[in-house]
Amino acid sequence: MTTPALLPLSGRRVPTLAPGASSFPYHRATLRLSEKFILLLILSAFVTLCFGAFFFLPDNSKHKRFDLGLEHMLIPHIDSSKEGRLPGGPVIHGQGLHDEHRHREEEESLRSKIRADHERVLEEAKEKLRKSREQLRAEIQTEKDKVAEQLKVKDGGGKALPAVPMPKLVGIKDGDPGDPDVKEKRDKIREMMKHAWDGYRQYGWGHNELKPLSKKGHSTNIFGNSQMGATIVDALDTLYIMGLHKEFKEGQEWIEQNLNFSVNAEVSVFEVNIRFIGGLLAAYYLSGQEVFKVKAVQLAEKLLPAFNTPTGIPWAMVNLKSGVGRNWGWASAGSSILAEFGTLHMEFVHLSYLTGNPAYYQKVIHIRKLLAKMDRPNGLYPNYLNPRTGRWGQHHTSVGGLGDSFYEYLLKAWLMSDKTDTEARKTYDDAIEAIERHLIRKSSGGLTFIGEWKNGHLERKMGHLTCFAGGMFALGADGSPNDKAGHYLQLGAEIAHTCHESYDRTVLKLGPEAFKFDSGLEAVAVRQNEKYYILRPEVIETYWYMWRFTHDPKYRQWGWEAAKAINKYCRVNGGFSGIKDVYSSSPTYDDVQQSFFLAETLKYLYLLFSSDDLLPLDNWVFNTEAHPLPVLHLGNITLPGSNTAQ
């Protein structure tokens, strides 16, 4: 991530370079017989329609009558038995002349329709022939899946979601901190949320995000060309826990009336999963409103075709209408990205629980099983994996962008299963041990940082995204092997301190996108394209986790410093904007209010100044977009398709 075009856009993110043309290598392996047969049927249908159109098209040069005795079928509103036309006979004069003229107009209209249909069919045939084998396979598989779903509905399945017991929901309201000073700070955070929402409501409603200075809608390539109200879905649970019920109702009504996934849009599977499915599921659990569950399941079905790859590792992007998937053009020779395909488990397990459909659970468990069989250089997981070959791409390992939330979800899979998914916990512990051995270092000034491993070399640079790891280490401390709980809580505190320093060493007291630890520089950005702040939540997220586990007052103090800086420098009339240079005393804006600002940054700040009984960590696990999902006490629940409770 060395240029702004490659920069990730939300909490635990991967780069979102506008996708280039994806090239698919030629495969010698032939299509299976069933796929050949279906493909042959498709092409045969096009050819038949083409020749049929030629056959019925009249010869314009001779103006022949279209008189095959089939008018009552081809043009239903013509009744050949009525006056003006005798069956098989000549036209009657008088009224007949008028009818003759009318017939000719109708025939000309029919000829035009046939020509248009003919041209459309030819274009569709050409489009099919231009597609690669990979795309054709994906389309065929999507059609198969649609047929299977239709048969399920016909047989009585799929009509309604099954009734399942609601997990134990604790602490979804209030959280009054008691202390008047802390309550005043919490009220200020709520006011900031209302300002961000009101700006979006007034100027960007229905768009994915907001340009608060331009006062208009905004979107990025992770959402394709769709307007799916990403900010609405992302903000719902924050509105709910803050008690902003009027605003929550506004969002619910928009979703009921406007949220539609049958759009011709190519979207990021990862981003749509964590923002939309995670947001809808959290809104359902918090409010009990069925519409959110139904919409989450509808969207999840649209993501499943992304898994139609030779390995089962999903594509980065999928077209919601066609089901065709592909990867980012820049991602190591067409590889899928660790943080993307590794950040599905929480949401997909809940989908299987709520629907009774084992497919979601099976797909994420398959990914885990595949990774377990692979060799890992130095015990580290590279950020790139080719979904066709099942081989690692470039050997680059990061706990920041491209890798981060893969590790987070291993830990959270264990927590969400009520600590019964011991396989996930063991995989997490092994990964963290390798990370500590190869990536975590202390600077000459005594700051603990997490570098990046690139082809055998440690780059002494840490990204803002990596700052989430302090909270992850604290969250995973309890249950660590070899009595290392204290060690990992201390490691979390050291990472929190380093990330606070990255904020404190700027003019605006807001942290840069990335910062170095070499050549005498520590926790400071060097390149101009690393000096910006886009309303990111990761540092505040770590403050909140450290507060919950230690109650050290400095974490609330640091969080309040960040909140004041955001309100002072990022607040504009239409909402909140990112800053291009946090080291400049005259900052300029990027004019984007990210949806994750409402989903994560403001939520973590609000929780930081709330009591611990609001969304307690024994009962809730936050996805990587800060959407809370309840712990599933799987000791008494067997997920569909599994032999045991995970």
Side-chain angles (χ1 to χ4, degrees), residues 472-504:
M472 179 178 72
F473 293 143
L475 184 62
D478 185 23
S480 297
N482 305 320
D483 297 322
K484 294 180 72 174
H487 166 74
Y488 282 113
L489 192 60
Q490 177 60 29
L491 181 58
E494 291 175 11
I495 296 298
H497 173 67
T498 297
C499 293
H500 174 256
E501 287 298 307
S502 77
Y503 274 52
D504 203 44

Side-chain angles (χ1 to χ4, degrees), residues 91-392:
V91 175
I92 300 174
H93 294 286
Q95 178 65 34
L97 289 174
H98 174 74
D99 288 348
E100 172 71 10
H101 179 69
R102 178 167 55 84
H103 289 325
R104 289 191 178 186
E105 286 182 344
E106 289 164 344
E107 290 162 15
E108 181 59 35
S109 173
L110 181 59
R111 281 196 291 269
S112 298
K113 182 178 183 302
I114 291 173
R115 287 193 201 96
D117 288 345
H118 169 64
E119 290 172 2
R120 177 180 55 78
V121 167
L122 282 177
E123 279 304 309
E124 288 177 356
K126 289 177 185 176
E127 184 64 28
K128 290 286 180 187
L129 293 173
R130 280 196 291 265
K131 291 184 177 179
S132 69
R133 286 169 177 254
E134 308 285 349
Q135 291 172 308
L136 288 172
R137 281 195 185 100
E139 288 189 355
I140 290 167
Q141 186 61 48
T142 300
E143 289 304 315
K144 286 180 180 177
D145 293 343
K146 285 180 182 175
V147 171
E149 285 301 314
Q150 289 166 0
L151 289 174
K152 251 174 37 180
V153 171
K154 187 176 179 181
D155 292 337
K159 288 183 179 177
L161 296 175
V164 296
M166 183 70 88
K168 185 179 181 182
L169 304 181
V170 176
I172 60 176
K173 294 179 181 177
D174 198 18
D176 188 333
D179 185 321
D181 180 61
V182 177
K183 189 175 187 301
E184 184 180 348
K185 291 180 171 65
R186 189 174 83 143
D187 288 343
K188 179 59 181 176
I189 304 302
R190 183 193 286 111
E191 185 277 329
M192 291 168 66
M193 177 68 181
K194 191 168 187 326
H195 178 68
W197 176 265
D198 288 346
Y200 171 78
R201 180 71 179 85
Q202 184 172 357
Y203 304 116
W205 193 241
H207 290 268
N208 288 314
E209 291 174 319
L210 170 70
K211 294 177 79 68
L213 276 84
S214 305
K215 296 183 177 178
K216 61 183 182 180
H218 171 74
S219 192
T220 62
N221 59 347
I222 59 176
F223 305 117
N225 56 3
S226 66
Q227 289 187 20
M228 296 183 358
T231 294
I232 298 173
V233 180
D234 234 0
L236 278 173
D237 54 3
T238 307
L239 294 170
Y240 188 89
I241 67 170
M242 287 185 177
L244 295 171
H245 297 303
K246 179 179 79 70
E247 290 78 3
F248 179 87
K249 190 66 176 174
E250 289 173 347
Q252 179 178 338
E253 289 173 356
W254 186 90
I255 286 170
E256 288 173 337
Q257 298 167 14
N258 300 286
L259 187 55
N260 172 32
F261 305 119
S262 297
V263 291
N264 185 20
E266 189 180 51
V267 300
S268 162
V269 173
F270 163 73
E271 296 285 1
V272 164
N273 176 61
I274 65 172
R275 300 195 201 204
F276 282 84
I277 293 180
L280 289 166
L281 290 176
Y284 163 67
Y285 283 121
L286 291 171
S287 71
Q289 297 296 313
E290 288 283 320
V291 62
F292 300 128
K293 177 172 69 172
V294 171
K295 292 288 186 181
V297 173
Q298 289 175 353
L299 177 55
E301 290 173 353
K302 297 284 188 178
L303 297 187
L304 286 179
F307 292 82
N308 295 335
T309 66
T311 60
I313 297 293
W315 299 114
M317 294 173 287
V318 69
N319 186 295
L320 293 177
K321 188 170 186 178
S322 69
V324 174
R326 69 183 179 95
N327 277 339
W328 303 108
W330 48 262
S332 188
S335 290
S336 297
I337 296 166
L338 184 68
E340 294 195 331
F341 64 77
T343 310
L344 302 165
H345 188 98
M346 289 180 64
E347 299 81 3
F348 274 43
V349 166
H350 272 276
L351 287 166
S352 276
Y353 173 68
L354 292 172
T355 64
N357 182 357
Y360 304 105
Y361 173 77
Q362 290 167 348
K363 290 189 185 301
V364 292
I365 288 298
H366 172 78
I367 292 172
R368 187 193 293 177
K369 300 293 186 189
L370 186 147
L371 292 177
K373 296 175 184 175
M374 297 184 64
D375 291 331
R376 294 181 295 280
N378 295 318
L380 298 171
Y381 289 87
N383 289 336
Y384 300 107
L385 180 62
N386 192 300
R388 301 184 192 90
T389 65
R391 296 192 183 96
W392 296 118

